[in-house]
Amino acid sequence: MARMIHVRSLALVAMLAPGVNAMAANPDPDWPCMQRKVPQLSLGQIWSGPDLPSAAKDWSKDPTISALIEEVSARRMPIAEAQKKIRDFAASLPAEQRAPKMAMMVQGMFDHLDAERSQVISGISRYAHKQLEMAAALRKEASDVDALRAKPGADPEEIDRRTEQLKFATRIFDERVQSLTYVCEVPTIIEQRLYQLSKAVSETLAAKK
């Protein structure tokens, strides 16, 4: 039993060390993702159409456009359905309103999704910081369990109890690592959605020329 505990503790330290070192080597110690950290996007990254007029920034004052932006930005809506809603909206507009209204759509989608993306990135950094703290705590506990195991006259029940607690905490840590792998993809998913939605706007304007 003592040998198994020792092996578990060493394995835990080995498991935690690479992840901690990888995060520490990153220029931003709170950024754990393989994807490069880009806190904010620029409009030029997702929009290749004509320059947007200053009036496009007033998109939030138009309740119809605001509601549509909220709807198509939601990731639960399939992108093809969202693009169709954009095309249908463009088709419903009088010819003289199409360009200014669709410019508002682009600006609004950019503002909305870039803000959402920035919130996700901030959340990832906070999550990673907690992971570093948890990793340090687990490594210390693993070392303490090994020291307790080597102590003459150590209580076997206490060793078993702390080992089970360590196993449980390690399982939670591992689940959080797996969750982080998915969360790291979210900023890119949002960026891709924004590009696809903006492309739908561009196509509606090109089709009406």
Side-chain angles (χ1 to χ4, degrees):
M1 178 65 181
R3 176 60 181 169
M4 290 178 62
I5 294 168
H6 180 63
V7 170
R8 279 199 197 108
S9 299
L10 289 178
L12 176 65
V13 173
M15 178 189 75
L16 296 177
V20 173
N21 291 338
M23 286 191 218
N26 194 299
D28 181 349
D30 285 339
W31 188 247
C33 304
M34 294 181 62
Q35 298 87 342
R36 185 168 63 92
K37 182 180 181 181
V38 181
Q40 290 185 312
L41 299 175
S42 66
L43 187 61
Q45 289 176 266
I46 57 92
W47 177 246
S48 58
D51 291 343
L52 302 182
S54 58
K57 296 179 180 179
D58 294 332
W59 61 269
S60 61
K61 298 178 182 179
D62 188 315
T64 300
I65 288 178
S66 295
L68 182 58
I69 288 170
E70 188 79 26
E71 188 177 14
V72 301
S73 295
R75 296 196 301 278
R76 63 178 176 273
M77 176 178 287
I79 189 65
E81 182 180 346
Q83 290 174 320
K84 182 178 185 303
K85 284 184 176 292
I86 290 173
R87 289 193 293 268
D88 290 346
F89 175 66
S92 72
L93 296 170
E96 68 277 8
Q97 293 185 17
R98 188 169 296 117
K101 293 288 187 182
M102 298 313 287
M104 284 185 173
M105 279 294 299
V106 173
Q107 185 68 60
M109 291 187 300
F110 175 81
D111 291 346
H112 182 89
L113 286 171
D114 188 46
E116 179 183 334
R117 183 178 174 280
S118 294
Q119 290 176 353
V120 170
I121 287 174
S122 295
I124 289 173
S125 294
R126 292 192 299 271
Y127 193 100
H129 185 71
K130 291 180 180 178
Q131 283 293 92
L132 284 172
E133 293 178 345
M134 185 180 294
L138 287 174
R139 294 178 70 187
K140 181 180 183 304
E141 180 62 13
S143 178
D144 289 348
V145 169
D146 279 345
L148 180 63
R149 178 197 62 80
K151 184 178 179 181
D155 183 355
E157 291 186 0
E158 182 183 357
I159 293 176
D160 288 345
R161 176 181 60 80
R162 292 183 63 175
T163 298
E164 288 305 310
Q165 291 176 343
L166 184 59
K167 286 170 58 181
F168 180 73
T170 302
R171 186 162 61 248
I172 293 175
F173 179 88
D174 188 53
E175 290 172 354
R176 285 173 59 90
V177 169
Q178 293 177 16
S179 297
L180 186 60
T181 300
Y182 165 75
V183 175
C184 281
E185 296 287 346
V186 175
T188 300
I189 291 172
I190 293 174
E191 182 177 348
Q192 291 172 343
R193 185 177 189 87
L194 178 55
Y195 173 77
Q196 291 170 323
L197 295 177
S198 299
K199 183 178 179 182
V201 172
S202 180
E203 289 171 349
T204 63
L205 293 175
K208 299 300 179 180
K209 289 183 178 180

